Amino acid sequence: MCAIRKKLMQPRGGRLIWLAGALALMTANAYAQSLPPINLLQLQQPQKHLTPEEQEQQKKLNDAYKAATKKIPDQRAHDPWADVRETSTVADPKKKQK
């Protein structure tokens, strides 16, 4: 009888703390989704204007890059099943008759 009385007299704050914590986590997620997007790259450095010499050097670099990429030969598509797939070099005579 004494154990039941002690259980009834204990404060129920433990459940309330867990419930408040869960509610706080759910509302924090919802609040974070409604914030405006932040771009940290714009905050780091303001846009730098290039001098004419720097623009000319940048143009030379771009032209050299384009020329180098044009020298690369076209690559064939790699077929990973080429060794597994059957390839018949001789045409089947049955297929021709049909």
Side-chain angles (χ1 to χ4, degrees), residues 3 7 26-27 32-33 39-40 48 50 54 58 65 82 95:
K7 181 129 178 131
M26 288 189 293
T27 56
Q33 290 177 2
N39 188 355
L40 297 177
K48 180 182 168 187
L50 298 176
E54 291 173 335
Q58 188 69 30
Y65 172 77
K95 287 184 180 180

Side-chain angles (χ1 to χ4, degrees), residues 28-87:
N29 285 337
Y31 178 71
Q33 290 177 2
S34 67
L35 292 175
I38 298 172
N39 188 355
L40 297 177
L41 294 176
Q42 290 179 348
L43 299 176
Q44 288 179 354
Q45 295 177 355
Q47 187 68 8
K48 180 182 168 187
H49 296 289
L50 298 176
T51 62
E53 294 84 21
E54 291 173 335
Q55 288 177 353
E56 184 177 331
Q57 184 180 6
Q58 188 69 30
K59 187 177 184 305
K60 286 181 183 178
L61 284 173
N62 287 340
D63 292 341
Y65 172 77
K66 288 178 184 176
T69 55
K70 287 181 182 178
K71 291 180 185 177
I72 298 174
D74 292 333
Q75 299 290 323
R76 291 190 303 137
H78 178 68
D79 186 11
W81 291 93
D83 296 334
V84 179
R85 189 179 303 122
E86 284 186 25
T87 55

